[in-house]
């Protein structure tokens, strides 16, 4: 158990819809990262939030957005869903910004876009 | 650019045999390296990490990895495989991406099968 939870566990949407995924970080962890893991691949970095501000983004379009709240929870929002957005979405929390800091992953939300 | 390459997308071993999962890295700065395990329909669990304190790193469940700078490798080993080790294993390097964000860049994964 990493102390990181995500909801929902599974979700089915249709193309063009919008979706919100939620994550609850470990208490005290001020950094949350989101990753997309397509079937058969390693996770890909979407973005990171530190103290409620986005402080870095991977190669994902602006229709992927997020929020981080003071209570260590966060959201990933995806607008105008496309079929290729079908994937496992993982959030990871960590304490601090050092490269050596461990990122603790939640169980993920599996999104299917039809 | 920093990256990791995992050699062998599938590895099969017999129960009780040595497990060796290969990871090579590319980095222009001293790397911080991680091994994660993913069981079916679950998230990622940290096995071990290298942060320059010691080249031989011991992790959970009997796994260990050795950092070899001359070979740019960080291979994962376990002396004796157990059926419960069957899972997907990911090697990752921590880098600074855009802004001040620190991200993990993952390899493509190695699926470990343990045969009875």
């Amino acid at each position: 158990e990493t102390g990181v939870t995500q909801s929902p566990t599974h979700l089915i949407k249709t193309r063009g819809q919008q979706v919100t995924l939620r994550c609850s970080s470990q208490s005290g962890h001020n950094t949350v990262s989101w990753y997309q893991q397509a079937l058969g691949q390693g996770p890909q970095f979407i973005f990171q939030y530190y103290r409620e501000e986005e402080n870095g983004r991977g190669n994902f379009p602006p229709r992927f957005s997020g929020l981080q709240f003071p209570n260590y929870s966060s959201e990933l929002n995806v607008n105008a869903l496309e079929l290729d957005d079908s994937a496992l979405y993982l959030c990871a929390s960590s304490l601090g910004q050092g490269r050596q800091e461990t990122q603790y992953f939640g169980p993920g939300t599996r999104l299917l876009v039809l | 650019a920093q990256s990791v390459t995992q050699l062998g997308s599938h590895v099969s071993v017999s129960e009780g045999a040595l497990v060796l999962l290969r990871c090579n890295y590319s980095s222009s700065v001293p790397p911080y390296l991680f091994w994660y395990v993913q069981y079916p329909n679950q998230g990622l669990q940290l096995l071990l990490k290298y942060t320059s304190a010691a080249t031989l790193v011991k992790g959970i469940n009997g796994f260990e990895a050795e950092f070899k700078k001359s070979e740019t490798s960080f291979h994962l080993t376990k002396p004796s495989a157990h059926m419960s080790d069957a899972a997907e294993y990911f090697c990752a390097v921590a880098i600074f991406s855009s802004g001040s964000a620190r991200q993990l860049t993952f390899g493509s994964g190695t699926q470990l099968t343990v045969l009875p």
Side-chain angles (χ1 to χ4, degrees):
Chain A
E1 291 293 329
T2 63
V4 180
T5 60
Q6 292 186 243
S7 63
T9 55
H10 295 81
L11 202 52
I12 300 175
K13 291 286 188 177
T14 56
R15 193 170 47 183
Q17 285 188 311
Q18 178 267 341
V19 69
T20 297
L21 310 181
R22 295 179 172 82
C23 172
S24 180
S25 301
Q26 278 196 25
S27 180
H29 282 191
N30 54 21
T31 303
V32 64
S33 306
W34 286 89
Y35 292 82
Q36 179 195 67
Q37 186 179 16
L39 200 60
Q41 298 182 23
Q44 299 288 318
F45 175 72
I46 302 175
F47 47 55
Q48 184 177 85
Y49 277 77
Y50 173 65
R51 293 183 176 177
E52 303 168 45
E53 296 285 336
E54 182 181 305
N55 70 337
R57 171 178 284 264
N59 190 26
F60 281 81
R63 59 189 185 84
F64 285 79
S65 64
L67 288 171
Q68 185 186 25
F69 304 100
N71 65 350
Y72 309 117
S73 66
S74 60
E75 292 180 354
L76 165 65
N77 298 288
V78 187
N79 294 321
L81 284 167
E82 301 177 359
L83 297 181
D84 285 348
D85 295 333
S86 295
L88 180 67
Y89 288 86
L90 298 163
C91 75
S93 74
S94 58
L95 179 63
Q97 290 288 287
R99 280 194 300 143
Q100 74 279 11
E101 293 291 340
T102 298
Q103 293 192 21
Y104 295 92
F105 284 81
T109 293
R110 190 165 297 281
L111 173 65
L112 177 61
V113 182
L114 301 176
Chain B
Q2 296 174 67
S3 63
V4 293
T5 302
Q6 293 183 241
L7 301 176
S9 58
H10 291 84
V11 170
S12 293
V13 300
S14 298
E15 190 174 19
L18 171 71
V19 175
L20 171 60
L21 305 182
R22 301 177 186 273
C23 173
N24 288 88
Y25 70 89
S26 172
S27 177
S28 56
V29 298
Y32 291 101
L33 297 161
F34 301 77
W35 274 100
Y36 283 87
V37 60
Q38 186 175 35
Y39 296 100
N41 300 314
Q42 294 188 27
L44 301 175
Q45 180 182 5
L46 179 71
L47 280 175
L48 48 81
K49 67 178 182 180
Y50 168 75
T51 59
S52 77
T55 56
L56 182 62
V57 182
K58 294 188 183 296
I60 63 171
N61 301 337
F63 284 94
E64 62 181 36
E66 186 172 9
F67 174 76
K68 291 186 176 181
K69 184 177 179 180
S70 61
E71 299 177 8
T72 62
S73 68
F74 189 56
H75 301 331
L76 182 71
T77 60
K78 182 174 180 178
S80 177
H82 192 272
M83 297 296 290
S84 61
D85 295 327
E88 182 131 32
Y89 292 79
F90 291 96
C91 181
V93 61
I95 69 172
F96 283 112
S97 66
S98 62
S100 60
R102 174 185 48 83
Q103 70 176 83
L104 291 172
T105 296
F106 288 86
S108 54
T110 297
Q111 181 68 47
L112 175 66
T113 299
V114 181
L115 305 171

